[in-house]
Amino acid sequence: MTASTNPRRILVAVAWPYANGSLHLGHMAGAYLPADIFARYHRLAGNDVLMVSGSDQHGTPVTVRADNEGRTAQDVVDQFHPEFLRYWSELGISFDLFTTTGTKNHEAVVHEMFLALLKKGYIYKGTTQQFFDTEAGRFLPDRYVEGTCPNCGYEKARGDQCDNCGRTLDPEQLLNPKSKLTGATPEMRDTEHFFFKLSAFGPQLLEWLKSREGWRKHVQNYSIGWVEEGLHDRAITRDLEWGISIPVEDLGPGKRIYVWFEAFIGYLSAAKEWSEQQGDPEAWRKWWEDAAAETYYFIGKDNIFFHTIFWPAVLMGYEGLNLPTNVPANQYVTFKGEKASKSEGIGDSVLSYLERYQPDMIRYGLAANLPETSDTDMTEAEMVRRNNDELVATWGNLVNRVLAMTAKNFDGRVPTPGALDDADQRIIDGATKVLAEVAAHIESAHLKAGLASAMSFAQEANAYLSEKEPWKTAKTDLERTGTTLFVALTAINALKVAFYPYLPFASANIHTYLGANGVLQDFGWDATPLEPGTALREAAPLFRKIDLEAEGAARASA
RNA sequence: GGCAGCGUAGCUCAGAGGUUAGAGCAACCGGCUCAUAAUCGGUAGGUCGUUGGUUCGAUUCCAACCGCUGCUACCA
C-alpha cells in the first residue's frame, strides 16, 4: 500500500550458526532477532527484502561433537538443523531462506568462486608445516595440540593459546607437545594448501573501511586497526575429510575447503537457492549485482574480521558483487555477568524459553537490552520484570483499556471524533511522528532506541488518557468521550505498526482487534486512519503477566 | 604483551566540549479507578572507573593507570 514506487532492495545476511549444538538467548540477541527486526521493518516500509542464512555444517565444532559422541558429522547436523528451524518458526524469525552449507548448490557456488579467484591469481598453492598425529593418521589443528607453555609453564596450554597466561602461541613453541586426540607426540610434516592473497587487498580495504559512514565504532575501528597492522595471506584449505571439496585435483586427497572460506559464500549461494525456489533463477542479481542494493550483515562481535575484511576482500577479488553496506555487529549478552553458557540458567536453550514464555515476551526482553555498543547483562528476572512492567503494564494495558472502554461506551465501534483540542492534536501528530522516529532508528541499526521510542509514545498515550479521563466523561459528554477514544485508537493503530518489527504476534492481533481486514503486513509503514463506525473485534489481553515465583514453584514440582 | 570496545543513579541501560547529566525499574509522597492491583503526577537518588593534561569551561577531548569483554591471523 505504501510500497514506494521505487522500493529499495535490502539483503539481510545473518550469521550461519554451527550445527553443533542448541542456540541460547545470546545468539538470538546477537544476530537473529536484530536481523529479523530490521527485515520486518523494511518489508513493511515497502522495500524488497531478502533475508538469508543457514546452518553451517562444516568446521571443527561439528566434527568435535561427532567424534566425542561416536556419531557422524552428518548425524549431528541432522539433529540441530531442524532444531534451528523450530526457533525461527516459533520466535517469528522471518527468514526468506534458511538453508545449509551442505547443498549441491552451495558446493557449486563455492567452486565457481574458488575457480574464478584462482584464475585471477588471488588463490595460489603453498606449503606449510603442521603437526601430524601418526596414530590418528591426520593433521592436527593448533587447538588439538596440547603441551607446556614456554611462557608460564602451564602444562595444558593449547597450540593456539595458553589459557593460563593468555599468551598467543604457535604449536611448535609448546614444550612436550601431545595430540589431544590420541595423546601421541605429533610430528611436524609438510602439507600443501591453497592460500588466498589477502595481502593484495590491504590498501583497497583500508580506503573502503575508512570511507564507511554510520558504522558502529567498535566495528570500524577494529577493522581499520587490523588492516593497518598488515594483512597476511590465509590458507583456505584444511587437512580434513569433512567439508566442501576443492574443485581442482592438485592437492590430492584428504583436503577440504576451509569452513570460513565457504561459509560466507553461503550468503550468495543462499540467495541463488532462494531464486531457484521462486522460479526466477536470476532474481538474486537484484540484491548482489545492482549497486543500488543494500547489504546488511547481522553477526556477533567475534565474527567481525570475516565480514569486514576477509569476505569483502574475496568480493573485491571476484568483482561484480556488492560489498557490505553495514555490518552492525553486536557485542555479547552476559547472564548474571557471565558469558552465555549452554548449560545453565538463562543461557539455556532457546527451546526451554519457548516452552514457558510467549515469543513476543522473549523478543521484547532481548530487544529492549540489545548489546549494540557494549556487552549487556540479562537475567530471567529482568526479562520477566520488563514483561510485567513495560510490555503488559504500558503497552498491553493501553490497548486493553481503550478497547474495553470503546466496547462498553460505543458498542464496539470506532467513535466519530468531534473537534480536536491541542491535547488531541498532539497525540494525532505524535502517531505520525513515532513512526518516523522508529523508522529512523531502525534504518541506522539503533534497534533498541526504536523500541524505546515506541514505548515512550505508549506512555504518552496513557498520560493523555489520564488527562482526558474518558471513564468520567462517558457519564456526562459522550461526544468528548468519543473524541478521546478515537484519538487513543489512532495512537494504538500507529503503535501496532511501530511495534510490529519487535512484537509481530501482538501487532497481528491488534490489527484484527481494530477491525481491519487482511494482514498488517499489507498496510505498510504508516497508520492508515481509522474509519469511524468500523466494528472492532473482541479482544483478549495481548501479553500474559508472569509471576516468577509461582512459575519457579510450578517448575520445581514438575 | 598488542589492538578494539566498554566502565554514567541501588539495578539494567541512554547521552553529550558548555544553561540545574537522562530513561525504565526499585524507594518515597500524592491523584485516578476505564484497564491484566494496571495507570498518571511528583520527590529523592550520581564528585559520569582513578590520576594527570588541553581548554574560559570536561563527565564528554588527550595521556597514563585500574577493571570488564572480544580479537590477536590454524576456533570460527
Side-chain angles (χ1 to χ4, degrees):
Chain A
M1 176 168 188
T2 41
S4 42
T5 48
N6 217 352
R8 290 151 64 191
R9 283 176 307 279
I10 312 282
L11 179 65
V12 179
V14 198
W16 291 60
Y18 279 115
N20 75 321
S22 299
L23 300 184
H24 51 65
L25 292 186
H27 293 117
M28 296 301 131
Y32 306 101
L33 180 61
D36 185 61
I37 291 166
F38 191 80
R40 283 180 185 271
Y41 158 73
H42 274 293
R43 291 193 194 104
L44 207 48
N47 297 320
D48 289 339
V49 172
L50 179 57
M51 173 167 160
V52 294
S53 182
S55 291
D56 188 341
Q57 301 202 352
H58 306 126
T60 320
V62 177
T63 51
V64 166
R65 182 166 187 136
D67 289 348
N68 288 346
E69 299 179 356
R71 315 156 66 183
T72 63
Q74 189 61 51
D75 195 39
V76 171
V77 169
D78 290 342
Q79 175 187 350
F80 290 106
H81 181 67
E83 187 177 316
F84 294 167
L85 292 173
R86 264 188 76 189
Y87 302 150
W88 316 143
S89 139
E90 294 188 23
L91 260 184
I93 307 296
S94 56
F95 282 110
D96 292 293
L97 177 68
F98 187 82
T99 180
T100 81
T101 56
T103 65
K104 281 281 168 213
N105 169 69
H106 178 62
E107 182 181 46
V109 174
V110 170
H111 283 177
E112 195 271 328
M113 195 165 246
F114 185 100
L115 291 169
L117 292 166
L118 185 67
K119 195 170 172 189
K120 291 188 175 195
Y122 291 125
I123 287 177
Y124 64 90
K125 211 163 25 165
T127 301
T128 56
Q129 284 209 316
Q130 196 169 353
F131 273 124
F132 185 84
D133 181 330
T134 48
E135 277 183 37
R138 58 195 249 194
F139 282 98
L140 297 170
D142 288 357
R143 288 217 153 186
Y144 278 41
V145 183
E146 207 170 63
T148 303
C149 175
N151 185 52
C152 71
Y154 181 62
E155 291 182 1
K156 296 217 161 182
R158 285 173 293 142
D160 56 340
Q161 185 174 40
C162 173
D163 281 335
N164 188 50
C165 66
R167 183 66 58 97
T168 306
L169 302 170
D170 286 323
E172 61 269 23
Q173 295 177 283
L174 289 175
L175 310 171
N176 192 22
K178 296 268 193 257
S179 164
K180 266 181 130 171
L181 293 178
T182 62
T185 300
E187 58 186 54
M188 269 299 174
R189 286 195 185 176
D190 282 353
T191 177
E192 239 189 342
H193 282 294
F194 279 105
F195 287 76
F196 177 69
K197 215 169 191 171
L198 189 57
S199 60
F201 297 92
Q204 200 181 343
L205 280 169
L206 199 55
E207 185 187 352
W208 175 70
L209 285 167
K210 285 188 169 171
S211 65
R212 295 307 88 200
E213 284 175 13
W215 281 31
R216 293 183 181 165
K217 64 180 174 177
H218 71 272
V219 175
Q220 193 167 19
N221 289 351
Y222 170 84
S223 305
I224 288 170
W226 191 307
V227 177
E228 281 180 339
E229 275 182 40
L231 295 172
H232 304 181
D233 295 349
R234 287 180 73 109
I236 55 167
T237 52
R238 292 286 185 277
D239 295 287
L240 290 171
E241 301 290 341
W242 177 243
I244 300 277
S245 62
I246 302 168
V248 288
E249 301 280 320
D250 311 32
L251 296 186
K255 313 262 182 181
R256 292 286 189 252
I257 291 180
Y258 171 45
V259 63
W260 253 111
F261 186 75
E262 47 102 350
F264 50 45
I265 293 174
Y267 297 123
L268 177 61
S269 51
K272 291 185 174 182
E273 184 181 341
W274 176 83
S275 301
E276 287 286 347
Q277 288 180 359
Q278 302 305 302
D280 181 6
E282 305 305 313
W284 64 274
R285 294 182 194 278
K286 293 191 291 182
W287 283 273
W288 277 103
E289 293 185 340
D290 183 340
E294 301 161 47
T295 314
Y296 298 86
Y297 292 81
F298 287 84
I299 60 166
K301 64 173 156 180
D302 52 335
N303 280 337
I304 293 173
F305 166 80
F306 292 97
H307 290 83
T308 61
I309 295 173
F310 200 177
W311 178 227
V314 167
L315 290 168
M316 286 170 176
Y318 185 80
E319 294 181 289
L321 301 178
N322 289 332
L323 296 175
T325 305
N326 197 353
V327 184
N330 279 313
Q331 309 267 357
Y332 284 160
V333 174
T334 58
F335 300 102
K336 294 179 185 164
E338 291 181 21
K339 207 176 147 185
S341 128
K342 286 181 181 176
S343 56
E344 264 187 79
I346 199 155
D348 239 347
S349 138
V350 175
L351 290 180
S352 74
Y353 272 77
L354 285 166
E355 281 167 15
R356 319 204 273 282
Y357 300 122
Q358 294 175 290
D360 276 347
M361 178 275 195
I362 299 171
R363 292 173 67 108
Y364 184 81
L366 296 176
N369 204 17
L370 290 175
E372 291 177 338
T373 55
S374 52
D375 292 351
T376 59
D377 195 56
M378 211 169 295
T379 60
E380 182 166 3
E382 173 70 1
M383 285 185 68
V384 168
R385 197 232 92 210
R386 281 191 185 276
N387 175 74
N388 292 349
D389 295 340
E390 299 177 15
L391 204 51
V392 174
T394 303
W395 174 222
N397 184 48
L398 172 68
V399 174
N400 198 37
R401 69 201 295 213
V402 170
L403 291 178
M405 279 188 276
T406 308
K408 187 171 165 190
N409 296 299
F410 293 90
D411 197 25
R413 289 181 181 276
V414 177
T416 304
L420 300 180
D421 66 19
D422 286 352
D424 300 328
Q425 196 59 51
R426 219 169 36 244
I427 295 296
I428 298 281
D429 293 346
T432 307
K433 219 170 67 185
V434 73
L435 286 174
E437 268 179 34
V438 173
H441 282 133
I442 295 180
E443 294 259 359
S444 60
H446 294 135
L447 307 180
K448 206 161 37 164
L451 184 57
S453 284
M455 197 49 89
S456 162
F457 185 58
Q459 285 178 329
E460 264 185 69
N462 276 320
Y464 165 82
L465 289 177
S466 276
E467 184 189 334
K468 292 300 184 188
E469 302 183 307
W471 52 90
K472 276 190 188 167
T473 60
K475 295 167 190 160
T476 56
D477 183 348
L478 209 55
E479 184 184 323
R480 179 58 250 178
T481 309
T483 305
T484 302
L485 292 178
F486 175 84
V487 168
L489 284 166
T490 301
I492 290 169
N493 195 43
L495 280 170
K496 118 200 144 182
V497 174
F499 275 119
Y500 167 78
Y502 303 90
L503 309 169
F505 300 96
S507 286
N509 288 339
I510 298 170
H511 184 74
T512 305
Y513 298 159
L514 290 178
N517 294 314
V519 291
L520 169 57
Q521 288 90 312
D522 295 335
F523 285 74
W525 188 261
D526 61 6
T528 314
L530 291 167
E531 195 58 45
T534 304
L536 306 179
R537 296 196 181 85
E538 192 172 346
L542 294 168
F543 311 106
R544 187 169 58 87
K545 197 164 172 176
I546 297 158
D547 181 340
L548 197 55
E549 285 179 23
E551 303 260 332
R555 249 182 293 149
S557 64

